[in-house]
Amino acid sequence: MKKVRKAVFPVAGLGTRFLPATKSIPKEMLTVVDRPVIQYVVDEAWEAGIEHLIFVTGRNKGVIEDYFDIQVELSNTLAERGKSVELKLLDDLQPKPGTASFTRQQAPLGLGHAVWCARDLVGNEPFALLLPDMIMQAEKGCLAAMVELYETAGGNVISVEQCDPNETQKYGIVGEGEAVGAGFRVDGMVEKPQPADAPSNYYISGRYILQPEIFDILKTQEKGAGNEIQLTDAMLKLAGRQEFSAYPFAGRTFDCGSKEGFVEANVAFALWRPDIREKVIGNIERLIHTVEPNGDDPTVE
């Protein structure tokens, strides 16, 4: 069994749900409290022992590459001003030389296509895939727990969470098989089944450990829903050859691809911070009792 050393981050999306902010700023660089969304996902990967970060980017995403590079002028200024705490913070977040790679997805052809674009950087070894829109909050990171399950179960591992049984038609749903480690074997995957046809209410939630054979499938994968190359379709084919296991994540997950999820993530991570928690609680309570909906704002639904 090969160690999971590399992680793929598909960051080529246009972020149209956050216009006009994302006209010039990648959605992955929008901040939750004082860190970009992408930093939370990278931190989760590092916690899990990932050694090499692979970003699948697109046009106008160069700021992500700049973010993970050294800012010489900023570092020099902080050093000259004796800002040792801030300087150490930046140093701790800096990938080591040669441990971050960037490749382009020239056309928006779906998640499956984005993963396929990383094939040469991943090579013939298992890899983690983390969707940057989904940031997770728990004492132990989701991917770290998935790696532990992978070391027990082998094969492929996906993170799952439980949805309302009446809303299975919104998600990719997996069937619950026999227990293995801290999870269970997947005995089926169905894309957006009606509640009556769903094998369970466990839905795939944005973290994967996949074997490299997925690339051979994606190479010839036909377009599916949304006229895009869907990763789920390729996983269904791979499941006919290799085992899949699921890790039920019990922490909090925030969909930062939606406005309400992004705002919720900011509140949740602010409340998690001892240095600002009490002030944030006071401000939220005050706003709840004093701010009314703006009926003149066309963006308010």
Side-chain angles (χ1 to χ4, degrees):
M1 185 185 300
K2 293 183 178 179
K3 180 183 178 183
V4 180
R5 302 187 311 111
K6 298 179 180 180
V8 174
F9 305 86
V11 293
L14 297 176
T16 53
R17 286 187 287 179
F18 278 90
L19 287 171
T22 49
K23 180 181 179 182
S24 59
I25 301 172
K27 62 178 180 177
E28 298 82 9
M29 293 301 296
L30 298 175
T31 55
V32 171
V33 188
D34 55 3
R35 294 188 177 203
V37 168
I38 189 62
Q39 184 66 63
Y40 289 91
V41 187
V42 166
D43 288 346
E44 182 183 337
W46 276 335
E47 180 193 359
I50 295 299
E51 302 170 6
H52 195 132
L53 313 174
I54 300 171
F55 298 89
V56 181
T57 70
R59 285 178 291 278
N60 301 318
K61 296 279 185 163
V63 67
I64 297 177
E65 189 168 352
D66 291 340
Y67 173 78
F68 287 104
D69 197 0
I70 296 174
Q71 301 293 328
V72 177
E73 295 82 0
L74 176 59
S75 296
N76 289 343
T77 300
L78 292 174
E80 291 170 0
R81 296 179 179 178
K83 302 281 187 179
S84 57
V85 174
E86 291 83 354
L87 191 58
K88 184 179 184 306
L89 172 63
L90 295 183
D91 288 343
D92 290 343
L93 298 179
Q94 180 68 46
K96 300 297 186 292
T99 63
S101 299
F102 298 81
T103 189
R104 285 285 185 101
Q105 182 187 22
Q106 285 87 352
L109 297 178
L111 176 59
H113 182 260
V115 173
W116 183 73
C117 288
R119 64 197 181 281
D120 289 337
L121 291 170
V122 171
N124 188 31
E125 58 183 285
F127 65 98
L129 170 66
L130 298 92
L131 303 191
D133 283 351
M134 312 300 289
I135 62 174
M136 298 179 168
Q137 187 183 67
E139 291 298 329
K140 183 175 186 176
C142 179
L143 186 61
M146 289 173 65
V147 168
E148 291 181 357
L149 177 56
Y150 166 78
E151 291 172 349
T152 298
N156 305 270
V157 180
I158 55 179
S159 67
V160 296
E161 297 180 42
Q162 289 184 299
C163 67
D164 184 325
N166 295 316
E167 296 184 350
T168 56
Q169 71 277 8
K170 298 180 180 179
Y171 307 99
I173 302 295
V174 304
E176 183 179 1
E178 64 180 4
V180 56
F184 57 84
R185 295 291 188 189
V186 172
D187 62 9
M189 281 186 277
V190 186
E191 185 66 23
K192 299 181 179 179
Q194 292 300 314
D197 302 320
S200 76
N201 66 328
Y202 281 108
Y203 70 94
I204 303 171
S205 59
R207 300 289 186 269
Y208 312 75
I209 294 174
L210 299 170
Q211 295 296 324
E213 286 79 10
I214 194 78
F215 294 123
D216 291 332
I217 298 173
L218 289 169
K219 182 178 181 180
T220 57
Q221 179 68 45
E222 296 179 354
K223 293 181 180 179
N227 201 32
E228 296 180 338
I229 298 174
Q230 297 293 338
L231 179 65
T232 303
D233 294 339
M235 289 197 303
L236 283 168
K237 292 181 180 179
L238 186 60
R241 313 172 193 174
Q242 298 179 354
E243 287 191 320
F244 273 74
S245 301
Y247 169 70
F249 178 63
R252 301 182 186 89
T253 299
F254 305 98
D255 180 4
C256 289
S258 70
K259 296 174 184 177
E260 59 273 20
F262 178 73
V263 173
E264 184 183 7
N266 268 279
V267 173
F269 278 92
L271 294 175
W272 226 29
R273 293 261 301 259
D275 59 327
I276 59 175
R277 175 182 171 86
E278 294 306 319
K279 289 184 178 179
V280 170
I281 290 175
N283 289 339
I284 291 174
E285 290 177 342
R286 175 177 56 81
L287 291 172
I288 288 174
H289 292 98
T290 59
V291 177
E292 297 292 332
N294 182 2
D296 297 329
D297 188 342
T299 67
V300 175
E301 298 180 357

